[in-house]
Amino acid sequence: MQDKPFMSSLTTDEVATSLRRKGRWGLGEVLFWLAAAATLFFLPERHLILNEIAIIGLFAVSLDLILGYAGIVSLGHAAFFGVGAYVAGIFAKEMTGDPLTGLAVAGVAAALLGFATSFLVLRGADLTRLMVTLGVALVAGEIANQASWLTGGADGLQGIMMGPLLGMFEFDIFGTTAYAYSLVVLFVLFVVARRIVHSPFGLSLRSIRDNSLRARAVGIPVNRRLVAIYTISAAYAGIAGGLLAQTTQFVSLDVLAFHRSADVLLVLVIGGVGYLYGGLIGAVIFKVLQDILSSMTPQYWQFWIGLILVVLVLAGRERLTERARFLAGRLFGRSAGAPRTAPAREGRP
Amino acid sequence: MTPALETIGLQKRFGGLTATDNVSFRLEKGARHALIGPNGAGKTTFINLLTGVIPPTSGRILLEGADITRLCPELRVQRGLARTFQINQLFPAMTPLETLGLAVSERKGSGRDWWRVFGSDREIVDEVVGIAQRFRLADVLDERTSNLPYGKQRLLEIAVAFACEPRVLLLDEPAAGVPEAERHELLATVAALPRDVSVLLIEHDMDLVFSFAERISVLVNGGLFTEGTVDEIAADPRVRAVYLGESVDE
């Protein structure tokens, strides 16, 4: 090897710091989770809807793992959500009411389905993937409908009795235990997802998303990576579904419905794709808007959400958030801005 | 001595068209070898066969004596066969730092590592910085790749392939489209590639071929037309007829 006659303007230390900086928790992030924890104490009358927000947020994070980071579009993510919900519900009825065990079983069941169907989304472009994922969700929905001896069919799965959380905390009618449970699960899984996207594995996913030809040319086993993240994402969705079943103690065919898949996509588009907080922020905006608008006039909800969607996609969420970030930066100084810039790629809604 | 890369009777037919016709080719260890040929001679097909993008109809490919004919592209890279692309294939939204880090950590087998934060492995960072210096990218490591000047992007294209620590490096028209002002830097970098990497250069640019290569193979109509030292090829009237004659007015 020959010597290096070129001047380096970045030392190894600076490079290492620059790389690690992206994995570090920002002030904005800490504040975000502190605020979330504060709602446990300061918004007791809102715990039912907050619980729903946490669950949808987790579901959106799950979708972001495949859509935002690996570039796999899906119109059928509810398949995993629904399977998780039914498995958690049936498990509580037939086996044990312990929430954590049930949640783990729901996650594993959804992961198995995700693993099995991941091979269907490996091939083909976006349209193929949209259709395949949609098809899988439709099939799952119809199976749940037909197997009414197991799922309760159109009447829903009733009579789920949950045991106390950790053997100590009973689920109450105000949803406080439920919300605390969902929030902690969300936080733990979020931290794991955060590690994943900042790891070498996460970087390889982004590289596959951006240019799979080159990804292969640096020796990345593209298919195996996609199978892995699809399975992880399915487990996340299954756990979100399981949380819903456990905290509402009811499962209906609605968990597998098409609108579930569409809503979660909407949530992610509102909050931002390819940026884990996008799913959480989107879930908050989506649910709060839904709550306000539908209490005014139920039929207007669809109108407004449709309008917002069109504006978001046409005006470009990047531009809108850029502006918001700029204003926030001027108000609070630079460090208080959003946790990190979204590496969202152009041209994708 | 076992050649770094060898093909034996390699053939690729697309329907009635024979794109690669019975090519038996040797790339010696440490070689600086150029593959030239007129447009449509099958250079790209040959590269795609070598890298495993398309399977051959018949024949074998050996990398340092081991048969890789049926290996998938990513495994060939892991065995030490890397390539650059004629048209940049980079990650526009990533920085060169991330791009090189990705390639290095894949090679070191930590690409499956999903728990450690990317960049916490000192060994990988050291190596990335070393590669960046070699390819004169140290001052743009933190820029978005899409914002780099074209010449720098071409350098990154080669640097990524180099980061895979190849024993055989296939350079597909590395200087294509690089403006005159940035050309010198690129050529100097290519010339300074370490000798333990065997290089096969596919090129149209005769200046680059003659300044870089020690041996030249000429591909015509999918088959190996002739092979020789630079002087032999330059003096060969048949080569002039089929190839050099055409390229004079290019």
Side-chain angles (χ1 to χ4, degrees):
Chain A
M1 300 295 246
Q2 54 159 233
D3 58 344
K4 300 157 183 163
F6 316 116
M7 282 297 290
S8 138
S9 50
L10 276 175
T11 67
T12 312
D13 283 323
E14 283 167 335
V15 169
T17 318
S18 154
L19 277 175
R20 275 198 303 258
R21 197 172 47 218
K22 294 187 174 167
R24 210 166 279 156
W25 288 78
L27 180 63
E29 288 180 278
V30 175
L31 291 177
F32 179 93
W33 287 104
L34 283 179
T39 57
L40 265 176
F41 304 100
F42 296 111
L43 285 173
E45 72 283 9
R46 292 265 168 216
H47 284 170
L48 286 172
I49 188 174
L50 284 168
N51 180 48
E52 271 184 68
I53 291 176
I55 289 169
I56 291 175
L58 180 58
F59 190 27
V61 167
S62 148
L63 181 64
D64 204 16
L65 283 177
I66 56 165
L67 176 59
Y69 289 91
I72 303 173
V73 287
S74 169
L75 259 186
H77 215 47
F80 309 119
F81 185 86
V83 164
Y86 272 111
V87 168
I90 294 165
F91 186 80
K93 268 183 78 169
E94 309 291 336
M95 309 293 284
T96 161
D98 180 59
L100 287 177
T101 316
L103 204 59
V105 172
V108 169
L112 287 176
L113 181 66
F115 180 77
T117 56
S118 67
F119 298 94
L120 303 174
V121 300
L122 286 181
R123 278 160 208 287
D126 288 354
L127 182 64
T128 319
R129 286 170 168 176
L130 282 177
M131 292 305 116
V132 166
T133 50
L134 180 61
V136 169
L138 289 175
V139 168
E142 197 49 39
I143 289 174
N145 187 27
Q146 293 299 324
S148 53
W149 55 272
L150 184 67
T151 62
D155 296 331
L157 186 69
Q158 292 168 9
I160 301 170
M161 296 295 292
M162 293 313 298
L165 191 58
L166 301 170
M168 287 186 284
F169 307 102
E170 289 285 351
F171 287 97
D172 55 287
I173 56 160
F174 308 107
T176 301
T177 307
Y179 175 47
Y181 174 43
S182 297
L183 190 60
V184 169
V185 170
L186 170 66
F187 180 70
V188 170
L189 290 181
F190 184 89
V191 171
V192 173
R194 202 179 173 289
R195 289 303 285 236
I196 291 176
V197 303
H198 287 114
S199 70
F201 171 71
L203 189 69
S204 76
L205 292 178
R206 278 168 52 202
S207 78
I208 292 167
R209 177 196 71 188
D210 287 351
N211 189 341
S212 65
L213 178 65
R214 168 53 89 182
R216 271 182 225 276
V218 295
I220 295 171
V222 170
N223 288 358
R224 258 189 283 165
R225 295 285 155 83
L226 291 181
V227 167
I229 194 63
Y230 201 74
T231 306
I232 293 170
S233 166
Y236 268 55
I239 290 171
L243 281 176
L244 185 73
Q246 292 181 340
T247 56
T248 59
Q249 311 204 350
F250 178 70
V251 186
S252 72
L253 286 173
D254 182 73
V255 294
L256 284 163
F258 172 69
H259 77 84
R260 282 256 170 218
S261 303
D263 281 355
V264 72
L265 203 54
L266 254 171
V267 163
L268 207 50
V269 169
I270 291 173
V273 181
Y275 163 58
L276 286 180
Y277 283 93
L280 304 186
I281 294 166
V284 174
I285 297 175
F286 184 81
K287 264 302 180 190
V288 169
L289 270 181
Q290 190 181 43
D291 200 38
I292 296 172
L293 292 174
S294 61
S295 66
M296 282 156 52
T297 37
Q299 66 272 39
Y300 268 33
W301 157 241
Q302 300 275 351
F303 171 86
W304 285 111
I305 200 72
L307 190 67
I308 289 168
L309 184 65
V310 170
V311 169
L312 268 179
V313 173
L314 287 185
R317 196 191 50 82
E318 258 84 85
R319 250 179 297 164
L320 295 177
T321 49
E322 208 90 310
R323 182 149 300 176
R325 200 165 290 162
F326 174 72
L327 289 174
R330 298 195 76 176
L331 284 174
F332 307 113
R334 291 197 63 184
S335 61
R340 70 187 181 89
T341 48
R345 62 173 163 163
E346 291 88 350
R348 180 171 284 278
Chain B
M1 201 171 75
T2 328
L5 185 67
E6 187 177 12
T7 68
I8 303 166
L10 200 64
Q11 195 155 49
K12 180 67 190 179
R13 277 194 297 270
F14 296 108
L17 175 80
T18 305
T20 302
D21 189 7
N22 197 25
V23 173
S24 294
F25 170 83
R26 280 167 74 97
L27 181 72
E28 300 300 337
K29 282 205 173 115
R32 295 289 179 265
H33 201 128
L35 182 68
I36 63 173
N39 283 325
K43 299 189 296 285
T44 306
T45 306
F46 186 60
I47 287 281
N48 286 340
L49 288 172
L50 291 179
T51 54
V53 178
I54 51 173
T57 311
S58 64
R60 301 199 310 148
I61 305 166
L62 306 178
L63 181 65
E64 298 194 322
D67 195 316
I68 58 162
T69 316
R70 300 283 155 203
L71 230 50
C72 67
E74 49 263 39
L75 282 176
R76 294 185 196 205
V77 178
Q78 288 170 17
R79 296 265 190 106
L81 176 66
R83 69 170 295 184
T84 68
F85 293 87
Q86 191 179 337
I87 297 161
N88 279 341
Q89 295 291 341
L90 297 167
F91 309 115
M94 289 189 192
T95 64
L97 181 54
E98 290 171 318
T99 310
L100 295 174
L102 176 77
V104 173
S105 55
E106 271 319 314
R107 168 162 54 74
K108 293 201 174 281
S110 64
R112 272 166 305 169
D113 187 345
W114 58 273
W115 187 246
R116 237 167 350 155
V117 172
F118 177 66
S120 58
D121 189 334
R122 198 48 191 247
E123 222 178 292
I124 289 176
V125 174
D126 278 344
E127 213 171 306
V128 168
V129 171
I131 293 168
Q133 285 169 338
R134 172 182 285 278
F135 289 92
R136 313 185 189 207
L137 292 164
D139 51 338
V140 293
L141 267 180
D142 253 342
E143 307 260 349
R144 240 178 95 103
T145 299
S146 57
N147 295 341
L148 298 182
Y150 189 72
K152 289 284 184 198
Q153 292 193 19
R154 283 314 270 171
L155 280 169
L156 181 58
E157 177 80 27
I158 304 171
V160 184
F162 186 77
C164 300
E165 208 168 68
R167 274 165 294 173
V168 174
L169 182 59
L170 310 175
L171 297 176
D172 195 353
E173 300 197 23
V178 177
E180 204 53 43
E182 298 170 52
R183 229 177 129 73
H184 171 75
E185 186 178 47
L186 188 104
L187 299 191
T189 316
V190 171
L193 285 170
R195 243 6 238 229
D196 51 2
V197 180
S198 319
V199 180
L200 178 62
L201 173 75
I202 294 90
E203 190 52 78
H204 258 309
D205 185 319
M206 282 303 129
D207 290 342
L208 179 52
V209 168
F210 286 130
S211 70
F212 174 80
E214 286 151 4
R215 282 190 81 78
I216 298 175
S217 294
V218 185
L219 204 62
V220 177
N221 292 329
L224 268 188
F225 182 69
T226 182
E227 189 191 313
T229 63
V230 173
D231 294 338
E232 285 166 6
I233 296 296
D236 192 328
R238 296 171 308 151
V239 175
R240 283 182 175 278
V242 298
Y243 187 78
L244 297 180
E246 289 178 22
S247 75
V248 165
D249 35 54
E250 256 181 23

